[in-house]
Amino acid sequence: MFGAHGEFQICSQPPHMYLKLKGSFNNEGITSLTNGVIQELSTHPENTIKFEIVNLKEFELLTLDSLDSLEAYFAGVKERGYQRVDYININIIAKNMFEKVWKNSDVEVNFYKDTESYLLVHPSDSYIKQNW
């Protein structure tokens, strides 16, 4: 068994959840992320988080063994009733991967090259203005 690789920060301010991913994630890292999100969600009434914003500025890669766990994580996101997921600072490889994961989903998924691009569409997001 390997240790978890990949770091993350989570902050939630209903109806938003903010994730910051750093490094390369293996299966155990995705499992740790999933558990962290579930724990964060437990601090709010059910279905109050509708939008997830993911900062990928320091994200590197996923290992092959983590892809199944990632798909399970996103299936859980769909079940939790999220309406939209926004990826900020996304590179072409990550965009391709996330497009495949979200294919045929009812969840709105958006990709932004940087924070400024995101704020042009969501100018009132004070968390992003202050923290990213």
Side-chain angles (χ1 to χ4, degrees):
M1 177 109 180
F2 294 101
H5 289 256
E7 298 176 32
F8 59 90
Q9 295 175 334
I10 302 172
C11 177
S12 57
Q13 299 174 344
H16 298 91
M17 176 176 286
Y18 301 93
L19 299 175
K20 191 178 219 181
L21 306 182
K22 182 178 180 179
S24 181
F25 282 75
N26 64 358
N27 189 45
E28 292 79 8
I30 295 294
T31 299
S32 180
L33 171 63
T34 301
N35 292 339
V37 167
I38 290 169
Q39 182 178 352
E40 183 72 19
L41 287 171
S42 72
T43 66
H44 303 292
E46 193 171 324
N47 296 320
T48 57
I49 301 295
K50 299 293 182 190
F51 311 110
E52 184 172 278
I53 299 92
V54 184
N55 184 340
L56 298 172
K57 187 172 187 174
E58 298 179 69
F59 174 75
E60 293 172 14
L61 293 172
L62 292 169
T63 60
L64 289 177
D65 69 331
S66 65
L67 288 176
D68 288 338
S69 294
L70 182 67
E71 288 184 12
Y73 170 77
F74 286 114
V77 165
K78 297 171 197 175
E79 290 172 11
R80 289 190 283 275
Y82 289 16
Q83 296 173 1
R84 187 183 74 232
V85 177
D86 296 305
Y87 293 98
I88 301 174
N89 299 304
I90 192 157
N91 64 46
I92 192 74
I93 295 168
K95 183 177 184 212
N96 185 29
M97 177 187 60
F98 289 121
E99 284 176 334
K100 288 178 183 175
V101 169
W102 288 106
K103 188 178 178 180
N104 301 320
S105 169
D106 293 337
V107 176
E108 177 186 344
V109 179
N110 301 297
F111 302 101
Y112 300 93
K113 67 176 181 157
D114 53 30
T115 305
E116 292 75 24
S117 300
Y118 172 82
L119 288 172
L120 285 174
V121 178
H122 304 282
S124 63
D125 195 326
S126 59
Y127 181 86
I128 297 294
K129 289 178 184 177
Q130 296 170 4
N131 297 287
W132 291 353

